Amino acid sequence: MPSVKTNLIIALAIGALVSGLLLAIEPLTDFAYLSLEWPGITVAYFFWGAVGGPTFLGIAISWLVNALIYGFGAFAILSAVKVLREA
């Protein structure tokens, strides 16, 4: 079984892929999945957008926060699967 560190790395990679996919398909779906990105958008607005920073950095912060949120969700799923396999 993979260790906790390996599961965390895999989960963060999954989170980065999901976040990147959501960011890439936004314009193609006419922003239909925007509700899935609210955590990152909110953080980007409060910590960068409110002070008038560049848009690119706000998008980067949004992508990073969404990657962490989806990554930790994937980590919880991977950890649950590991516990169920050991039981």
Side-chain angles (χ1 to χ4, degrees):
M1 294 302 307
S3 67
V4 174
K5 183 178 178 182
T6 304
N7 276 347
L8 183 61
I9 291 170
I10 292 170
L12 290 176
I14 290 170
L17 288 173
V18 169
S19 183
L21 180 68
L22 287 173
L23 188 64
I25 66 172
E26 252 184 19
L28 301 174
T29 60
D30 201 22
F31 301 99
Y33 298 110
L34 192 59
S35 63
L36 296 174
E37 295 189 36
W38 277 120
I41 291 170
T42 304
V43 170
Y45 175 74
F46 283 129
F47 289 108
W48 196 256
V51 296
T55 305
F56 180 76
L57 194 52
I59 291 171
I61 291 171
S62 175
W63 176 82
L64 181 67
V65 169
N66 283 330
L68 287 173
I69 288 172
Y70 288 118
F72 288 137
F75 179 72
I77 292 169
L78 288 173
S79 295
V81 168
K82 180 179 179 182
V83 167
L84 289 175
R85 280 190 177 178
E86 290 177 357

